[in-house]
Amino acid sequence: MDNDPVSRQMEVIRRGAVEIIPERELEEKLRSALAAGRPLRVKYGADPSAPDIHLGHTVPLSKLRQFQDLGHLVVFIIGDFTALVGDPSGRSKTRRRLSPEEVKENALTYQEQVFKILDRDRTEVVYNSRWLSPLTFPEIVDLAARATVARMLERDDFGKRYREGKPISVLEFLYPLMQGYDSVAVRADVELGGTDQTFNLLLAREIQREYGQPPQVIVTLPLLEGTDGVQKMSKSLGNYIGISEPARDIFGKVMSISDDLMWRYYELLSRLPAGEIAGGKEECRSGANPIAWKKKLAWELAARFAGTAAAAEAGAYFEEVHQKKEIPEDMPEVVLEEKDLSAGTVPVIELLRLSGLVPSNAEARRKIAEGAVSYDGEKINEHGAEVRVKDGGVLRLGKRKFRRIRLEPPPEKN
RNA sequence: GGGGAGAUACCGAAGUGGCCAAACGGGGCAGACUGUAAAUCUGCUGGCUAUGCCUUCGGAGGUUCGAAUCCUCCUCUCCCCA
């Protein structure tokens, strides 16, 4: 590569991105920004409906960080307006509207987590209600006039739902417009998003043009599959790994992904040099047990988000509990009070419920029938069994769920 | 505005008076096997003070000894015509 600073920046930006539309424009923007000594304004929007940031979000966030490291400014938009309206998209018909308090709270949690990755000093955090709320109906009409239904139906999920006879509300058509208007409001030079955002990002270019602004360049990034390896990572599907989860959980969840998915995660999340990753992949293809590589990845991610000490502990915990199949040292504890006991025993079903391992008595019965329940190493097969508990005893459900039972000392008489 | 189709458990989808807590598939959970991988096989998958009882088939009423199934009204969705 040559020494042209613009080419060097382009190279960094291009790495891992799916598309840059259009590349030429980005080069020009970088060049003029450099010449003028001003940073590019790189927009990224987040909807504060679910406050937990997971690995899927970190793909674009890391790219944003790279922009920051290249000297640019990130404009982080919190879609509080959007959240208040209640996004009806997808098939989740029951997605409820959030209260202003919830939005505020989520937004704060969000920021807290986002700055695990982003550089606070090069980030401008803005709420889109600031400019969306004051819009008047005539202004909205004016905005709505800029897009056609046919254009909207080009968007994959709209088109698909339309063909399948699934409902699409007019409100949903408004979303891309609002998002586009955000770009106008913050005068975005570049916007980042997942590939599922391509349509919205492109439409924003048109809207900016309509409002007399130079259109933003869009950079799309791959969507990370969730731990199931099929659907994109999302909180609502429960296939996510949150960046604020305890190291053990991050470690454990990574260990449970499939081998194929592991390499995908390496490519999208790991900071190891590409060559090293390719080497590992090759090694495993020729017969090596992938578990070593999986641990390496689990360690890297746990360390990045929970710290190296916690990651090391999580790794040790994993080996002890899951590989050597020993009972872990620490586990959640459940305190039984005297009133829970009768003559030192508790019905198993009660015990399972009190420990929060099952949601209902019926579920407790099923798990017992399945042979999944044991106390201090003894399998319990009778759902009517009375368990003689002792302080420190271990209740176990399945392979991975443990609860240490604590007995509350009898109240002292005075 | 007119005509037609539809709403079933986490999701998809059968069921059209009692044998329906509701087939089947997916997902999920558990068991076996394993590397907490994949694949495969097996079981479970509304609740309860439990051989019974209660809640659940869009909502509210009604018919009936008995309703997811029949009737009335309502809400929502899709398609066609205007």
Side-chain angles (χ1 to χ4, degrees), chain A residues 309-384:
Chain A
E313 192 279 332
Y317 173 87
F318 176 84
E319 285 175 14
E320 177 192 312
V321 177
H322 301 296
Q323 296 198 281
K324 295 185 197 148
K325 304 216 192 303
E326 284 169 13
I327 303 290
E329 275 290 302
D330 352 310
M331 64 182 83
E333 300 196 341
V334 183
V335 177
L336 295 188
E337 293 173 22
E338 206 180 11
K339 65 173 168 57
D340 301 321
L341 304 175
S342 85
T345 68
V346 194
V348 223
I349 292 181
E350 254 324 88
L351 193 58
L352 285 164
R353 287 211 56 176
L354 288 169
S355 61
L357 289 173
V358 295
S360 67
N361 288 7
E363 177 69 7
R365 283 160 195 275
R366 284 193 287 270
K367 289 291 159 260
I368 292 161
E370 284 163 5
V373 180
S374 68
Y375 179 77
D376 264 355
E378 298 251 347
K379 190 173 271 192
I380 296 167
N381 295 309
E382 297 268 335
H383 65 250

Side-chain angles (χ1 to χ4, degrees), chain A residues 9-20:
Chain A
Q9 292 204 12
M10 284 300 292
E11 198 190 330
V12 173
I13 295 166
R14 216 177 275 125
R15 192 178 307 144
V18 175
E19 275 188 303
I20 298 176

Side-chain angles (χ1 to χ4, degrees), chain A residues 12 18 80 82 107 121 162 202 245 261 372 376 402:
Chain A
V12 173
V18 175
D80 63 332
T82 313
D121 296 332
Y162 187 69
L202 283 170
E245 293 193 61
L261 189 60
D376 264 355
F402 302 93

Side-chain angles (χ1 to χ4, degrees), chain A residues 161-347:
Chain A
R161 277 158 67 194
Y162 187 69
R163 281 192 302 277
E164 288 172 356
K166 296 226 166 80
I168 302 173
S169 82
V170 173
L171 176 60
E172 289 179 79
F173 278 179
L174 249 29
Y175 268 79
L177 295 174
M178 294 193 275
Q179 201 176 325
Y181 191 76
D182 285 349
S183 291
V184 173
V186 304
R187 311 189 77 84
D189 293 307
V190 178
E191 179 164 4
L192 254 70
T195 50
D196 59 341
Q197 291 290 310
T198 309
F199 175 84
N200 291 358
L201 301 177
L202 283 170
L203 191 69
R205 282 171 58 83
E206 289 171 34
I207 293 172
Q208 282 178 304
R209 235 182 251 130
E210 296 277 354
Y211 282 83
Q213 287 187 14
Q216 63 187 12
V217 167
I218 72 171
V219 178
T220 57
L221 295 155
L223 293 177
L224 185 74
E225 291 83 355
T227 49
D228 57 12
V230 181
Q231 292 187 271
K232 81 168 188 184
M233 187 174 283
S234 89
K235 184 168 182 172
S236 53
L237 291 172
N239 61 359
Y240 73 107
I241 303 180
I243 65 170
S244 291
E245 293 193 61
R248 281 183 189 181
D249 291 352
I250 296 178
F251 199 100
K253 285 186 183 182
V254 173
M255 290 309 292
S256 74
I257 64 175
S258 76
D259 294 348
D260 289 342
L261 189 60
M262 165 174 75
W263 298 114
R264 175 87 175 144
Y265 278 26
Y266 258 117
E267 276 151 26
L268 297 182
L269 301 171
S270 173
R271 293 189 181 152
L272 284 184
E276 206 171 313
I277 296 171
K281 205 168 169 175
E282 192 44 51
E283 204 178 285
C284 293
R285 189 175 302 144
S286 53
N289 188 338
I291 197 168
W293 281 90
K294 210 174 267 178
K295 279 186 189 171
K296 197 179 165 101
L297 178 67
W299 193 89
E300 181 184 346
L301 295 173
R304 184 181 310 161
F305 299 112
T308 49
E313 192 279 332
Y317 173 87
F318 176 84
E319 285 175 14
E320 177 192 312
V321 177
H322 301 296
Q323 296 198 281
K324 295 185 197 148
K325 304 216 192 303
E326 284 169 13
I327 303 290
E329 275 290 302
D330 352 310
M331 64 182 83
E333 300 196 341
V334 183
V335 177
L336 295 188
E337 293 173 22
E338 206 180 11
K339 65 173 168 57
D340 301 321
L341 304 175
S342 85
T345 68
V346 194

